[in-house]
Amino acid sequence: MVSSVDVAKLAGVSQATVSRVLNNPEKVNAPTLEKVKAAIQQLNYRPNAAARSLISRKSGIIALFCGQLDEPDNAEFANKAVMNAQQKGYTVEIHIQNPDKPESVFDAILDTQAEGIMMGPLIIKGTAVEYLKTSGIPYIFCGSGGGQEGITVGMDNHAAGKLAAEYISSLEPETVGWLGGDPSDLRLQERYQGFVEAMKESGVRIVKVTGDLEDIELPFTAMMAQKQRPDVIVAATDSFGIFALDFLYDYGYAVPEDVAVLGIGNSRQSAMNYLSLSSIGLPDDMDMVAEAFDRLSAMIENNGQGSRGSADVNPVVYERRTTKTY
Amino acid sequence: MVSSVDVAKLAGVSQATVSRVLNNPEKVNAPTLEKVKAAIQQLNYRPNAAARSLISRKSGIIALFCGQLDEPDNAEFANKAVMNAQQKGYTVEIHIQNPDKPESVFDAILDTQAEGIMMGPLIIKGTAVEYLKTSGIPYIFCGSGGGQEGITVGMDNHAAGKLAAEYISSLEPETVGWLGGDPSDLRLQERYQGFVEAMKESGVRIVKVTGDLEDIELPFTAMMAQKQRPDVIVAATDSFGIFALDFLYDYGYAVPEDVAVLGIGNSRQSAMNYLSLSSIGLPDDMDMVAEAFDRLSAMIENNGQGSRGSADVNPVVYERRTTKTY
DNA sequence: TTGTAGGCGTTATCAA
DNA sequence: TTGATAACGCCTACAA
């Protein structure tokens, strides 16, 4: 590894001068500047980030935690988050949750040298919040429903469930099927809670199936095999909604005539013409991630002292062809 | 920030002992071990990664470069890459290419302290390869078609184009439309090259449209407005294929009766029942990313001396409903 | 088994 | 305008 000392030797100056060339070029004479720059070029010198951050106490790193990127929602989120961070000059360290051992990803919180932590859409366990608190690093939840535990920016999941219930009431269903995800996912719990609470009044029958996307086929098949099968399906996320669409297509159902389907999340995919999945989501003009990022970087700059408090956004209905015939 | 010196003071030992507890606990007496551990707990001490890697000359970081994650192919790739790296104990630093200034992402190559660089699916410019070479960091291309310039693991893009041509010949088209992406994307160029070369013999008319996914609608509309419009469309990536499907649906075409569509990439989405996009892709049993990662970590461990040479894989056809009626 | 001390590559504060 | 020099937090001989 070539260090600034090597550069100094070659240029015939002191190491301090090399450092100056790098950080305060205006404070060094033109001729020396050239000499040093030449030496840097020649040796292909690159300052050591570790040494730098050792002294500056700044890593320039943001840690991003999120769920698997093969879920389009998560990918879309991660993309926005990374682009935002890059644009602000941060480097992003990404940590993806393994569904088989969801806790293990949080160990990274203990080791990371990041200046800020962005908790994206993933399954939050208690340890996570605990680790976050003790880490002393500014953090923010965005779309993960960290809930009361910290700063949150995201869709109000409870309201989303409620809105789903209100909307499908207009469809006058006899039996409603809830197609959920991992039951330990707080976001989905909240959605379901809001949903049942709002449904309670109507007295409509609710059947529920939960599980990972990979393991949902069997229980869902069982749900559809019942005599009183649902004529409206509310999916905890758009991915499950798409799964349902796929399934219904395969089994010969007409959507929405036989069974209507409503997703939650309003992912980009759901809006595509060939899918046209009705969904509950954030208003179009809202960029949650950017909002969260602004808050996070403010916290970093203010030395961890940010405006605590959550900023949950009320969702709206995107009515498409899986709930309505035109 | 609490340092190992603080821990040492509290535990009444030397800083060296604290270090030992962290790295060689077996070399320290049980009672002192406990004392130190207690102090660590109490102060919530976390070793400083910068200081560590300054000495060890290891960052434990892999830098991942890829295209926008709202493209499912890229997201799927990034996911696999990150999961692989995490499982091997690396932290992943992710760099996403901004389509508006594709070059700028490569600046990160100059600054990164990563031990290895994985170049995923993105648009490679000359500077990238140059930077990579001078960085001295082991790197590998995976699905980005870095071509001759380094180690590559990925689909043989030229062969993919050729295979597309051969396959659609069986559809006996009169006019074939090529729906391409960014013309400066090497991968797509290679695909197109292989395609035209193989088509040349048949003498079938080829029309071509390129551009970003956002800007493709107008030129594509123009293409379809021509008197001799294509009856088969080959898309440079599945995303464009899906776009075409969406468009055709909207404009009242029957697929594949009026127009057949073939994608390249065999993304997960393309296989979904509701889409069922025929596509050219890697054999199912092949995990490119894992392969690439194994090579990369081998290079890192062997101090940059890996087995140079590319490992391009021959693609196969996945025939689905957009090219064939059952 | 433990402590002392030197150094990793920078930055930053002084003198010169 | 430049050059010594002391940190930054940690690891690791070497000595005790």
Side-chain angles (χ1 to χ4, degrees), chain B residues 233-244:
Chain B
I233 289 169
V234 179
T237 72
D238 280 354
S239 292
F240 285 94
I242 292 171
F243 167 83

Side-chain angles (χ1 to χ4, degrees), chain A residues 136-150:
Chain A
I137 303 174
Y139 60 92
I140 195 167
F141 291 94
C142 184
S144 54
Q148 316 73 341
E149 306 286 4

